[in-house]
Amino acid sequence: MCPYHFKILKTVDEEWNKNLLNCGYSTFFQTREYFISNSLDHFPIFIYVLNEKEEIVGQLAIRIINTSVLYSSSFFKTILNLISKITRRAVWTYGPIIHSDNKNTRLEILQQILTAVERVSEQYDLVHVEGQTPPLDYMIDDDYIQKFEKNKYVKNVSATYLCDLNRSIEEIWNDVSKKTKGDINRAKRRNLTPKILETTDELKEYLILNQEWAKSKGLVISEPFKNFDLMWKNHKVGIEKIFLTYENDKLISGVMIGFFNNIGYTNFVINSYTNVTNLGGTILTWYVLEWAKNAGLRIYDFSGGLTLNKEQEKNSLLFYKSKWGGKETPYYIFIKPRKKISYKLYLILFNVVRKYHYFLMKYCRFLKNLTIVKNLM
């Protein structure tokens, strides 16, 4: 008889986070707060695994979500509505959290979690499930991966960059690339001013910049202040922090970081494209690193993506993140297609939207740069 069993819940209390803190690699992405939202398009599911003594030995928070992105084109709104009708999926980030260092025990708990996820998938008629493993879970090995594969998950290898904040600020600075150091110094000479968000007016500025940033990528945010109260609350509580860069009293960059368990994570970055050579994001990243170091965080995660070949990587965000001197750290994205035809159709339609999005972003940026050049003439 299996010594473990699972519970599937729609809501949890503060004990969820307290239990997460018993694991050194748990992050913001498995906290209760990360899953709180005003959106009706997705909702959380929390999974506990318990032993015979009813002690918590495993946790995984997942989000049941429909595709819901608002585009300015009515044609692509139609496509996205179609996608929403053919796919409902579960996603998780940086889990599962397993409270054991014993290899065999970990595998048994993992199987319980995957069984619970399948139970949820059946209940909500999911087309596919997608999850990311925690980069700081250094006990993930071939047997752990095979457990996913035996449960019909497909593995994709990804990487992120982790900065060890236990080092001195001088050591961290020395690992930053020469070009990035030069950009930071140029930003200082231009009197770009990075700071932590302090007032509700600044939060409004940040949300308006986010709306403008989205527009440059062909997206429409019709209700920019929808999550205002929630964002302000999370910022004040400290589970999330928002940082801003100003140039001549004008907001040009913003970054939101999530942090929990003394681990920080770049959660969301926005920039103004009114200046072709906007260095606001660069100086802001360094400011956030200094803040994280002084705040007592032990790890800063720049966030990652799928590993690429050297040629592809040169033009990727992953390449930019590598310039900050963090240690390249692998993690895995596991995907389980449950309805193969629907999943393939979903991928085709989503790829069309992605290409449209990329084209529109390039076109909007071209028009913006053209306007800037004309104004300079």
Side-chain angles (χ1 to χ4, degrees):
M1 183 177 176
C2 179
Y4 305 105
H5 62 281
F6 58 79
K7 289 183 179 179
I8 299 172
L9 305 171
K10 290 185 177 180
T11 60
V12 291
D13 58 21
E14 61 276 2
E15 289 299 313
W16 176 269
N17 285 4
K18 289 181 180 179
N19 284 302
L20 288 178
L21 289 172
N22 293 325
C23 178
Y25 59 78
S26 61
T27 66
F28 164 75
F29 291 107
Q30 285 293 306
T31 62
R32 182 179 67 145
E33 286 78 3
Y34 177 67
F35 289 87
I36 296 174
S37 172
N38 293 324
S39 174
L40 300 176
D41 297 317
H42 52 77
F43 58 92
I45 294 292
F46 301 92
I47 297 169
Y48 274 123
V49 177
L50 304 98
N51 62 18
E52 293 172 311
K53 298 179 181 179
E54 293 298 304
E55 296 168 330
I56 294 166
V57 294
Q59 294 172 262
L60 179 67
I62 65 177
R63 178 172 282 141
I64 308 297
I65 184 171
N66 292 313
T67 302
S68 55
V69 182
L70 297 179
Y71 279 75
S72 55
S73 164
S74 59
F75 172 69
F76 280 96
K77 283 181 181 178
T78 302
I79 288 182
L80 286 165
N81 286 334
L82 178 60
I83 291 176
S84 297
K85 291 175 182 177
I86 67 166
T87 182
R88 196 181 214 193
R89 66 192 187 274
V91 298
W92 80 75
T93 304
Y94 285 11
I97 306 302
I98 299 178
H99 301 293
S100 175
D101 293 328
N102 180 281
K103 177 177 177 175
N104 291 331
T105 299
R106 279 170 53 87
L107 293 176
E108 289 185 77
I109 295 169
L110 175 60
Q111 182 57 61
Q112 285 291 308
I113 290 173
L114 295 179
T115 301
V117 171
E118 182 59 24
R119 182 79 57 83
V120 171
S121 300
E122 292 171 353
Q123 181 179 351
Y124 293 102
D125 195 28
L126 302 181
V127 171
H128 75 278
V129 179
E130 180 175 332
Q132 300 178 15
T133 62
L136 286 167
D137 184 358
Y138 297 125
M139 289 192 69
I140 293 177
D141 58 9
D142 289 342
D143 291 330
Y144 190 98
I145 293 169
Q146 286 174 12
K147 182 67 72 173
F148 274 96
E149 292 173 339
K150 288 178 180 178
N151 283 269
K152 299 181 180 180
Y153 285 81
V154 178
K155 178 188 74 175
N156 294 281
V157 181
S158 298
T160 187
Y161 288 89
L162 303 178
C163 180
D164 179 4
L165 296 176
N166 291 317
R167 299 176 299 159
S168 68
I169 199 67
E170 291 77 18
E171 290 175 300
I172 296 171
W173 175 255
N174 287 338
D175 283 343
V176 175
S177 75
K178 183 178 179 180
K179 182 182 183 306
T180 303
K181 288 178 183 175
D183 287 342
I184 294 169
N185 290 327
R186 277 191 291 275
K188 290 178 179 179
R189 289 195 295 272
R190 292 182 187 177
N191 294 320
L192 270 62
T193 307
K195 67 185 297 289
I196 191 168
L197 184 145
E198 295 179 286
T199 68
T200 55
D201 285 340
E202 288 175 342
L203 179 56
K204 290 175 183 176
E205 285 186 88
Y206 172 83
L207 291 170
I208 291 170
L209 179 61
N210 181 43
Q211 187 180 37
E212 294 172 353
W213 172 86
K215 185 178 179 181
S216 73
K217 297 180 180 296
L219 297 164
V220 173
I221 299 178
S222 56
E223 299 180 77
F225 304 117
K226 183 176 181 179
N227 291 313
F228 183 92
D229 291 338
L230 180 61
M231 292 176 68
W232 179 248
K233 177 183 177 182
N234 285 347
H235 179 77
K236 296 296 288 184
V237 169
I239 198 80
E240 290 180 313
K241 286 292 181 185
I242 298 172
F243 299 83
L244 311 168
T245 301
Y246 286 87
E247 183 176 21
N248 299 324
D249 296 324
K250 180 178 176 59
L251 180 64
I252 60 170
S253 296
V255 62
M256 178 189 294
I257 71 164
F259 69 96
F260 178 77
N261 204 11
N262 290 327
I263 301 170
Y265 182 93
T266 302
N267 195 19
F268 196 66
V269 180
I270 54 174
N271 287 289
S272 167
Y273 295 119
T274 55
N275 188 328
V276 179
T277 57
N278 185 353
L279 297 174
T282 302
I283 193 172
L284 192 55
T285 299
W286 177 248
Y287 181 86
V288 168
L289 276 178
E290 289 186 302
W291 176 89
K293 167 69 180 173
N294 294 330
L297 274 66
R298 55 191 174 94
I299 296 288
Y300 191 85
D301 187 338
F302 289 97
S303 78
L306 291 173
T307 52
L308 306 168
N309 61 47
K310 293 297 180 182
E311 194 59 36
Q312 291 173 318
E313 193 174 287
K314 288 179 183 178
N315 299 314
S316 71
L317 277 174
L318 206 58
F319 181 70
Y320 170 78
K321 293 166 185 176
S322 71
K323 294 177 176 293
W324 292 96
K327 180 183 178 182
E328 183 175 351
T329 306
Y331 66 96
Y332 302 98
I333 299 175
F334 288 104
I335 300 174
K336 181 177 182 177
R338 300 186 67 256
K339 297 182 179 182
K340 292 184 178 180
I341 294 177
S342 294
Y343 181 64
K344 286 181 180 179
L345 185 57
Y346 159 79
L347 291 178
I348 292 170
L349 292 173
F350 209 80
N351 190 45
V352 170
V353 173
R354 186 182 291 115
K355 287 181 178 179
Y356 163 77
H357 172 231
Y358 180 77
F359 166 78
L360 197 58
M361 178 184 68
K362 289 291 186 181
Y363 180 67
C364 291
R365 191 172 295 180
F366 168 76
L367 291 179
K368 179 70 73 173
N369 291 344
L370 187 63
T371 302
I372 292 170
V373 171
K374 285 182 177 179
N375 290 337
L376 293 174
M377 293 175 66

PDB file of all heavy atoms in Angstrom, residues 24-44:
ATOM      1  N   GLY A  24      14.194  24.702   0.329  1.00  0.00           N
ATOM      2  CA  GLY A  24      15.127  25.756  -0.066  1.00  0.00           C
ATOM      3  C   GLY A  24      14.956  26.262  -1.474  1.00  0.00           C
ATOM      4  O   GLY A  24      15.420  27.358  -1.802  1.00  0.00           O
ATOM      5  N   TYR A  25      14.288  25.499  -2.360  1.00  0.00           N
ATOM      6  CA  TYR A  25      14.168  25.935  -3.753  1.00  0.00           C
ATOM      7  C   TYR A  25      12.766  26.421  -4.128  1.00  0.00           C
ATOM      8  O   TYR A  25      12.489  26.687  -5.294  1.00  0.00           O
ATOM      9  CB  TYR A  25      14.607  24.824  -4.712  1.00  0.00           C
ATOM     10  CG  TYR A  25      13.846  23.520  -4.624  1.00  0.00           C
ATOM     11  CD1 TYR A  25      12.588  23.367  -5.192  1.00  0.00           C
ATOM     12  CD2 TYR A  25      14.409  22.408  -3.988  1.00  0.00           C
ATOM     13  CE1 TYR A  25      11.892  22.169  -5.129  1.00  0.00           C
ATOM     14  CE2 TYR A  25      13.731  21.199  -3.923  1.00  0.00           C
ATOM     15  CZ  TYR A  25      12.478  21.088  -4.503  1.00  0.00           C
ATOM     16  OH  TYR A  25      11.794  19.890  -4.447  1.00  0.00           O
ATOM     17  N   SER A  26      11.871  26.557  -3.155  1.00  0.00           N
ATOM     18  CA  SER A  26      10.537  27.081  -3.468  1.00  0.00           C
ATOM     19  C   SER A  26      10.634  28.571  -3.768  1.00  0.00           C
ATOM     20  O   SER A  26      11.420  29.296  -3.159  1.00  0.00           O
ATOM     21  CB  SER A  26       9.573  26.832  -2.312  1.00  0.00           C
ATOM     22  OG  SER A  26      10.025  27.496  -1.141  1.00  0.00           O
ATOM     23  N   THR A  27       9.839  29.037  -4.719  1.00  0.00           N
ATOM     24  CA  THR A  27       9.905  30.433  -5.158  1.00  0.00           C
ATOM     25  C   THR A  27       8.522  31.071  -5.195  1.00  0.00           C
ATOM     26  O   THR A  27       7.504  30.430  -4.928  1.00  0.00           O
ATOM     27  CB  THR A  27      10.512  30.530  -6.576  1.00  0.00           C
ATOM     28  OG1 THR A  27       9.618  29.919  -7.517  1.00  0.00           O
ATOM     29  CG2 THR A  27      11.877  29.852  -6.651  1.00  0.00           C
ATOM     30  N   PHE A  28       8.536  32.338  -5.578  1.00  0.00           N
ATOM     31  CA  PHE A  28       7.330  33.148  -5.724  1.00  0.00           C
ATOM     32  C   PHE A  28       6.262  32.452  -6.569  1.00  0.00           C
ATOM     33  O   PHE A  28       5.068  32.594  -6.315  1.00  0.00           O
ATOM     34  CB  PHE A  28       7.749  34.482  -6.347  1.00  0.00           C
ATOM     35  CG  PHE A  28       6.635  35.290  -6.925  1.00  0.00           C
ATOM     36  CD1 PHE A  28       5.763  35.973  -6.101  1.00  0.00           C
ATOM     37  CD2 PHE A  28       6.471  35.392  -8.303  1.00  0.00           C
ATOM     38  CE1 PHE A  28       4.737  36.738  -6.633  1.00  0.00           C
ATOM     39  CE2 PHE A  28       5.454  36.151  -8.843  1.00  0.00           C
ATOM     40  CZ  PHE A  28       4.584  36.831  -8.002  1.00  0.00           C
ATOM     41  N   PHE A  29       6.675  31.666  -7.570  1.00  0.00           N
ATOM     42  CA  PHE A  29       5.736  31.087  -8.526  1.00  0.00           C
ATOM     43  C   PHE A  29       4.888  29.952  -7.967  1.00  0.00           C
ATOM     44  O   PHE A  29       3.999  29.456  -8.650  1.00  0.00           O
ATOM     45  CB  PHE A  29       6.478  30.597  -9.770  1.00  0.00           C
ATOM     46  CG  PHE A  29       7.019  31.724 -10.590  1.00  0.00           C
ATOM     47  CD1 PHE A  29       8.365  31.990 -10.610  1.00  0.00           C
ATOM     48  CD2 PHE A  29       6.170  32.533 -11.318  1.00  0.00           C
ATOM     49  CE1 PHE A  29       8.868  33.036 -11.358  1.00  0.00           C
ATOM     50  CE2 PHE A  29       6.654  33.576 -12.070  1.00  0.00           C
ATOM     51  CZ  PHE A  29       8.014  33.839 -12.096  1.00  0.00           C
ATOM     52  N   GLN A  30       5.169  29.542  -6.739  1.00  0.00           N
ATOM     53  CA  GLN A  30       4.322  28.537  -6.104  1.00  0.00           C
ATOM     54  C   GLN A  30       3.566  29.103  -4.903  1.00  0.00           C
ATOM     55  O   GLN A  30       2.875  28.372  -4.204  1.00  0.00           O
ATOM     56  CB  GLN A  30       5.165  27.333  -5.678  1.00  0.00           C
ATOM     57  CG  GLN A  30       5.594  26.442  -6.823  1.00  0.00           C
ATOM     58  CD  GLN A  30       4.415  25.730  -7.476  1.00  0.00           C
ATOM     59  OE1 GLN A  30       3.630  25.050  -6.822  1.00  0.00           O
ATOM     60  NE2 GLN A  30       4.261  25.917  -8.780  1.00  0.00           N
ATOM     61  N   THR A  31       3.663  30.406  -4.677  1.00  0.00           N
ATOM     62  CA  THR A  31       2.977  31.014  -3.538  1.00  0.00           C
ATOM     63  C   THR A  31       1.493  31.210  -3.816  1.00  0.00           C
ATOM     64  O   THR A  31       1.050  31.283  -4.966  1.00  0.00           O
ATOM     65  CB  THR A  31       3.588  32.384  -3.186  1.00  0.00           C
ATOM     66  OG1 THR A  31       3.421  33.271  -4.304  1.00  0.00           O
ATOM     67  CG2 THR A  31       5.059  32.253  -2.829  1.00  0.00           C
ATOM     68  N   ARG A  32       0.759  31.326  -2.758  1.00  0.00           N
ATOM     69  CA  ARG A  32      -0.679  31.574  -2.866  1.00  0.00           C
ATOM     70  C   ARG A  32      -0.943  32.904  -3.570  1.00  0.00           C
ATOM     71  O   ARG A  32      -1.838  33.020  -4.407  1.00  0.00           O
ATOM     72  CB  ARG A  32      -1.295  31.581  -1.464  1.00  0.00           C
ATOM     73  CG  ARG A  32      -2.796  31.775  -1.446  1.00  0.00           C
ATOM     74  CD  ARG A  32      -3.336  31.739  -0.031  1.00  0.00           C
ATOM     75  NE  ARG A  32      -2.889  32.887   0.753  1.00  0.00           N
ATOM     76  CZ  ARG A  32      -3.619  33.490   1.681  1.00  0.00           C
ATOM     77  NH1 ARG A  32      -4.829  33.062   1.948  1.00  0.00           N
ATOM     78  NH2 ARG A  32      -3.139  34.510   2.349  1.00  0.00           N
ATOM     79  N   GLU A  33      -0.121  33.922  -3.252  1.00  0.00           N
ATOM     80  CA  GLU A  33      -0.340  35.260  -3.809  1.00  0.00           C
ATOM     81  C   GLU A  33      -0.181  35.284  -5.327  1.00  0.00           C
ATOM     82  O   GLU A  33      -0.868  36.047  -6.017  1.00  0.00           O
ATOM     83  CB  GLU A  33       0.642  36.260  -3.175  1.00  0.00           C
ATOM     84  CG  GLU A  33       0.325  36.636  -1.753  1.00  0.00           C
ATOM     85  CD  GLU A  33       0.736  35.570  -0.736  1.00  0.00           C
ATOM     86  OE1 GLU A  33       1.331  34.550  -1.144  1.00  0.00           O
ATOM     87  OE2 GLU A  33       0.448  35.744   0.458  1.00  0.00           O
ATOM     88  N   TYR A  34       0.724  34.480  -5.846  1.00  0.00           N
ATOM     89  CA  TYR A  34       0.948  34.466  -7.294  1.00  0.00           C
ATOM     90  C   TYR A  34      -0.314  34.069  -8.052  1.00  0.00           C
ATOM     91  O   TYR A  34      -0.514  34.486  -9.196  1.00  0.00           O
ATOM     92  CB  TYR A  34       2.094  33.504  -7.628  1.00  0.00           C
ATOM     93  CG  TYR A  34       2.355  33.355  -9.107  1.00  0.00           C
ATOM     94  CD1 TYR A  34       2.852  34.420  -9.854  1.00  0.00           C
ATOM     95  CD2 TYR A  34       2.085  32.153  -9.759  1.00  0.00           C
ATOM     96  CE1 TYR A  34       3.077  34.294 -11.218  1.00  0.00           C
ATOM     97  CE2 TYR A  34       2.313  32.022 -11.123  1.00  0.00           C
ATOM     98  CZ  TYR A  34       2.817  33.090 -11.844  1.00  0.00           C
ATOM     99  OH  TYR A  34       3.029  32.952 -13.188  1.00  0.00           O
ATOM    100  N   PHE A  35      -1.169  33.303  -7.414  1.00  0.00           N
ATOM    101  CA  PHE A  35      -2.352  32.776  -8.091  1.00  0.00           C
ATOM    102  C   PHE A  35      -3.614  33.609  -7.854  1.00  0.00           C
ATOM    103  O   PHE A  35      -4.665  33.308  -8.398  1.00  0.00           O
ATOM    104  CB  PHE A  35      -2.592  31.320  -7.676  1.00  0.00           C
ATOM    105  CG  PHE A  35      -1.577  30.385  -8.252  1.00  0.00           C
ATOM    106  CD1 PHE A  35      -0.381  30.151  -7.600  1.00  0.00           C
ATOM    107  CD2 PHE A  35      -1.798  29.758  -9.461  1.00  0.00           C
ATOM    108  CE1 PHE A  35       0.571  29.308  -8.140  1.00  0.00           C
ATOM    109  CE2 PHE A  35      -0.861  28.912 -10.017  1.00  0.00           C
ATOM    110  CZ  PHE A  35       0.329  28.683  -9.359  1.00  0.00           C
ATOM    111  N   ILE A  36      -3.504  34.648  -7.027  1.00  0.00           N
ATOM    112  CA  ILE A  36      -4.656  35.518  -6.800  1.00  0.00           C
ATOM    113  C   ILE A  36      -4.808  36.455  -7.992  1.00  0.00           C
ATOM    114  O   ILE A  36      -3.854  37.109  -8.412  1.00  0.00           O
ATOM    115  CB  ILE A  36      -4.485  36.328  -5.503  1.00  0.00           C
ATOM    116  CG1 ILE A  36      -4.444  35.398  -4.291  1.00  0.00           C
ATOM    117  CG2 ILE A  36      -5.624  37.338  -5.349  1.00  0.00           C
ATOM    118  CD1 ILE A  36      -4.129  36.112  -2.983  1.00  0.00           C
ATOM    119  N   SER A  37      -5.984  36.535  -8.556  1.00  0.00           N
ATOM    120  CA  SER A  37      -6.216  37.362  -9.735  1.00  0.00           C
ATOM    121  C   SER A  37      -7.691  37.767  -9.813  1.00  0.00           C
ATOM    122  O   SER A  37      -8.561  37.066  -9.299  1.00  0.00           O
ATOM    123  CB  SER A  37      -5.817  36.602 -11.000  1.00  0.00           C
ATOM    124  OG  SER A  37      -6.192  37.308 -12.168  1.00  0.00           O
ATOM    125  N   ASN A  38      -7.919  38.889 -10.482  1.00  0.00           N
ATOM    126  CA  ASN A  38      -9.291  39.328 -10.732  1.00  0.00           C
ATOM    127  C   ASN A  38      -9.840  38.774 -12.035  1.00  0.00           C
ATOM    128  O   ASN A  38     -10.986  39.022 -12.398  1.00  0.00           O
ATOM    129  CB  ASN A  38      -9.346  40.869 -10.784  1.00  0.00           C
ATOM    130  CG  ASN A  38      -9.037  41.500  -9.434  1.00  0.00           C
ATOM    131  OD1 ASN A  38      -9.404  40.959  -8.398  1.00  0.00           O
ATOM    132  ND2 ASN A  38      -8.350  42.631  -9.453  1.00  0.00           N
ATOM    133  N   SER A  39      -9.007  38.035 -12.757  1.00  0.00           N
ATOM    134  CA  SER A  39      -9.422  37.521 -14.059  1.00  0.00           C
ATOM    135  C   SER A  39     -10.372  36.334 -13.906  1.00  0.00           C
ATOM    136  O   SER A  39     -10.214  35.506 -13.000  1.00  0.00           O
ATOM    137  CB  SER A  39      -8.199  37.078 -14.864  1.00  0.00           C
ATOM    138  OG  SER A  39      -8.587  36.460 -16.077  1.00  0.00           O
ATOM    139  N   LEU A  40     -11.330  36.265 -14.824  1.00  0.00           N
ATOM    140  CA  LEU A  40     -12.241  35.121 -14.871  1.00  0.00           C
ATOM    141  C   LEU A  40     -11.762  34.062 -15.855  1.00  0.00           C
ATOM    142  O   LEU A  40     -12.397  33.027 -16.018  1.00  0.00           O
ATOM    143  CB  LEU A  40     -13.649  35.602 -15.278  1.00  0.00           C
ATOM    144  CG  LEU A  40     -14.312  36.631 -14.349  1.00  0.00           C
ATOM    145  CD1 LEU A  40     -15.647  37.065 -14.935  1.00  0.00           C
ATOM    146  CD2 LEU A  40     -14.495  36.050 -12.946  1.00  0.00           C
ATOM    147  N   ASP A  41     -10.620  34.324 -16.501  1.00  0.00           N
ATOM    148  CA  ASP A  41     -10.113  33.425 -17.540  1.00  0.00           C
ATOM    149  C   ASP A  41      -9.249  32.292 -17.000  1.00  0.00           C
ATOM    150  O   ASP A  41      -8.856  31.406 -17.751  1.00  0.00           O
ATOM    151  CB  ASP A  41      -9.305  34.215 -18.576  1.00  0.00           C
ATOM    152  CG  ASP A  41     -10.161  35.226 -19.309  1.00  0.00           C
ATOM    153  OD1 ASP A  41     -11.293  34.870 -19.673  1.00  0.00           O
ATOM    154  OD2 ASP A  41      -9.699  36.365 -19.497  1.00  0.00           O
ATOM    155  N   HIS A  42      -8.901  32.363 -15.741  1.00  0.00           N
ATOM    156  CA  HIS A  42      -8.089  31.285 -15.168  1.00  0.00           C
ATOM    157  C   HIS A  42      -8.338  31.191 -13.664  1.00  0.00           C
ATOM    158  O   HIS A  42      -8.851  32.130 -13.044  1.00  0.00           O
ATOM    159  CB  HIS A  42      -6.601  31.505 -15.452  1.00  0.00           C
ATOM    160  CG  HIS A  42      -6.090  32.866 -15.071  1.00  0.00           C
ATOM    161  ND1 HIS A  42      -5.816  33.231 -13.765  1.00  0.00           N
ATOM    162  CD2 HIS A  42      -5.807  33.957 -15.823  1.00  0.00           C
ATOM    163  CE1 HIS A  42      -5.376  34.465 -13.733  1.00  0.00           C
ATOM    164  NE2 HIS A  42      -5.365  34.936 -14.964  1.00  0.00           N
ATOM    165  N   PHE A  43      -7.984  30.049 -13.109  1.00  0.00           N
ATOM    166  CA  PHE A  43      -8.166  29.836 -11.679  1.00  0.00           C
ATOM    167  C   PHE A  43      -7.136  28.816 -11.186  1.00  0.00           C
ATOM    168  O   PHE A  43      -6.621  28.010 -11.968  1.00  0.00           O
ATOM    169  CB  PHE A  43      -9.591  29.355 -11.362  1.00  0.00           C
ATOM    170  CG  PHE A  43      -9.982  28.078 -12.062  1.00  0.00           C
ATOM    171  CD1 PHE A  43      -9.782  26.842 -11.456  1.00  0.00           C
ATOM    172  CD2 PHE A  43     -10.556  28.112 -13.327  1.00  0.00           C
ATOM    173  CE1 PHE A  43     -10.140  25.670 -12.100  1.00  0.00           C
ATOM    174  CE2 PHE A  43     -10.919  26.951 -13.979  1.00  0.00           C
ATOM    175  CZ  PHE A  43     -10.710  25.723 -13.371  1.00  0.00           C
ATOM    176  N   PRO A  44      -6.812  28.843  -9.897  1.00  0.00           N
ATOM    177  CA  PRO A  44      -5.764  27.969  -9.378  1.00  0.00           C
ATOM    178  C   PRO A  44      -6.292  26.644  -8.835  1.00  0.00           C
ATOM    179  O   PRO A  44      -7.456  26.522  -8.445  1.00  0.00           O
ATOM    180  CB  PRO A  44      -5.170  28.796  -8.241  1.00  0.00           C
ATOM    181  CG  PRO A  44      -6.341  29.561  -7.706  1.00  0.00           C
ATOM    182  CD  PRO A  44      -7.213  29.867  -8.909  1.00  0.00           C
TER     183      PRO A  44
END
